[in-house]
Amino acid sequence: MVSLRRHLFILLHQDAVMHLLRVAAGLDSLVLGEGQILAQVKNTHKLGQQYNGIKTILNRLFKQAITAGKRVRTETSIGTGAVSISSAAVELAHMKLENLAACRVAILGAGKMSRLLVQHLISKGAEKISILNRSLGRAEELAQQFPELKIQTHPLSRLMTVIAESDLVFTSTSASEPLLDRAKLEMILEPKRALMLIDISVPRNVDADVNELANVQAFNVDDLKAVVAQNHETRRQMAREAEVILEEELEAFDGWWRSLETISTISCLRNKIETIREQELEKALSRLGSEFAEKHQEVIEALTRGIVNKILHEPMVQLRAQQDVEARRSCMQALQMLFNLDVGSQ
């Protein structure tokens, strides 16, 4: 624990509650509105319950956080719009080509950006994906991360052969010189074959002269940056709307949390009334005689319990409903005095 301490930070009370609400809503993420975070919060809650590490207060807090995350995603548009170069690249392709499921997609490179490309492509319905890389092993490792799809892998030496059979090509390699140019594409492309190239590499993997080909559409990082910047600004505006929702959820949790201090008073009152009920019931049954008592005990027992529950119901509801802390504490003190309750012994 000592070695971990320098990597940790501590938040108390409402700050801690708001932190979890912000995390679940995606407001504390590197990418504002990141949707995967809410799933991770749900999984944490599930694991905590599985290993008996979450009790009453934490259980309620996680449920409130999950509710907050869902509200933010349904009541604002914070989760929409590409906010990374890779997501913007796929969004652009989806917008231009519409049906990615019918497209033959090739990805040059097998690094982190390529992994994100595959992830976004699958979410948009792409089914025919090939990955090319200098190291075939790295391409295969990346393909194995997406077992739900049969991704083809190829060495970079088959680059032009694969491109000749593709409709959409993403380039994301560390090459210092362009891998594709007009001359190379002219050699392999049929006259009327349309090809879209989206280069997210720095430096560029695709030479600017490919734009001279009538059947080729080429986009690069500069084309995507404006989209990403605009979406970042939109998400920041949505984040301000989300903060209002989180304040409401914080208030709801805080009200429930503060109401917990009424539990000891309510429990003490119920126990005292229940003791009186049992004593008076026992006296009444003894006076009625054993034969009558055995025959009607269940009915009389239910009657007395029902009377007690109905008498206690309204005071308990009103006590829990008090939002003002001082008003609630004043009510509790009044109950404790009127019924001579020894709350400290509970």
Side-chain angles (χ1 to χ4, degrees):
M1 184 62 183
V2 174
S3 61
L4 286 175
R5 182 65 189 87
R6 65 180 182 274
H7 302 294
L8 306 176
F9 59 90
I10 296 174
L11 296 173
L12 302 175
H13 309 302
Q14 287 192 335
D15 291 337
V17 175
M18 180 55 86
H19 176 66
L20 182 56
L21 296 181
R22 287 179 58 84
V23 168
L27 299 192
D28 252 24
S29 306
L30 183 62
V31 176
L32 266 178
E34 169 59 56
Q36 295 300 314
I37 302 298
L38 181 57
Q40 292 171 10
V41 171
K42 288 180 181 177
N43 191 47
T44 301
H45 181 219
K46 185 177 179 180
L47 285 173
Q49 291 177 314
Q50 182 180 339
Y51 291 98
N52 203 30
I54 289 182
K55 305 300 181 183
T56 303
I57 294 176
L58 274 181
N59 185 54
R60 176 62 178 247
L61 176 55
F62 269 96
K63 286 183 176 180
Q64 202 85 47
I66 291 166
T67 297
K70 288 178 179 177
R71 282 192 63 195
V72 166
R73 300 197 70 75
T74 56
E75 296 177 31
T76 74
S77 301
I78 196 170
T80 61
V83 289
S84 69
I85 293 297
S86 56
S87 61
V90 174
E91 192 166 289
L92 175 64
H94 186 247
M95 181 175 65
K96 297 283 187 182
L97 301 173
E98 295 184 1
N99 185 13
L100 288 182
C103 290
R104 294 166 294 181
V105 183
I107 298 174
L108 279 60
K112 180 181 177 181
M113 295 290 276
S114 295
R115 179 180 62 79
L116 292 172
L117 283 172
V118 175
Q119 186 175 313
H120 292 305
L121 282 165
I122 291 175
S123 73
K124 296 292 186 183
E127 298 175 353
K128 305 166 186 175
I129 300 175
S130 296
I131 299 173
L132 298 93
N133 196 60
R134 292 189 189 280
S135 165
L136 184 58
R138 286 197 64 186
E140 291 171 343
E141 286 176 14
L142 176 55
Q144 288 168 6
Q145 293 178 38
F146 301 92
E148 70 274 22
L149 204 64
K150 187 172 178 57
I151 297 175
Q152 301 294 319
T153 57
H154 307 275
L156 207 56
S157 58
R158 296 201 69 237
L159 173 61
M160 302 315 295
T161 303
V162 174
I163 289 180
E165 299 171 350
S166 301
D167 305 301
L168 171 63
V169 177
F170 295 92
T171 60
S172 177
T173 79
S174 57
S176 56
E177 298 292 333
L179 299 175
L180 298 173
D181 56 28
R182 174 176 176 168
K184 290 179 180 177
L185 292 178
E186 278 183 323
M187 293 175 60
I188 62 164
L189 291 181
E190 298 174 9
K192 294 185 179 180
R193 266 290 312 285
L195 177 66
M196 178 177 288
L197 300 171
I198 301 181
D199 183 9
I200 64 173
S201 305
V202 179
R204 295 181 182 179
N205 286 173
V206 179
D207 197 290
D209 66 2
V210 300
N211 289 296
E212 298 169 9
L213 296 171
N215 55 332
V216 174
Q217 292 185 80
F219 303 92
N220 57 44
V221 170
D222 292 335
D223 298 317
L224 301 171
K225 280 182 178 176
V227 176
V228 171
Q230 178 58 44
N231 286 332
H232 269 300
E233 180 54 34
T234 301
R235 287 202 179 194
R236 277 193 289 270
Q237 293 173 8
M238 292 300 104
R240 288 190 283 273
E241 294 181 19
E243 293 284 1
V244 176
I245 294 172
L246 296 191
E247 286 293 340
E248 293 174 2
E249 294 298 327
L250 174 63
E251 187 177 339
F253 177 78
D254 192 54
W256 172 83
W257 192 5
R258 290 182 183 279
S259 74
L260 292 181
E261 67 179 348
T262 65
I263 290 176
S264 57
T265 298
I266 290 172
S267 177
C268 190
L269 175 60
R270 178 169 282 283
N271 288 340
K272 183 159 190 172
I273 299 300
E274 179 62 18
T275 299
I276 293 171
R277 185 194 71 82
E278 290 176 350
Q279 290 172 348
E280 293 305 310
L281 177 62
E282 187 176 348
K283 289 178 187 176
L285 291 175
S286 65
R287 288 198 299 271
L288 290 170
S290 59
E291 184 177 337
F292 180 90
E294 287 179 14
K295 186 176 181 181
H296 301 287
Q297 185 169 351
E298 286 186 13
V299 175
I300 299 173
E301 177 92 19
L303 172 67
T304 55
R305 283 189 186 279
I307 293 171
V308 166
N309 288 337
K310 286 189 179 298
I311 291 173
L312 290 178
H313 176 72
E314 198 62 33
M316 290 180 177
V317 168
Q318 292 300 323
L319 183 57
R320 290 193 184 102
Q322 290 292 333
Q323 295 299 312
D324 183 76
V325 176
E326 292 306 318
R328 184 165 56 244
R329 287 176 179 169
S330 177
C331 289
M332 286 193 296
Q333 289 169 2
L335 278 174
Q336 291 166 17
M337 180 190 69
L338 290 172
F339 287 91
N340 191 27
L341 302 178
D342 184 9
V343 176
S345 65
Q346 290 293 302

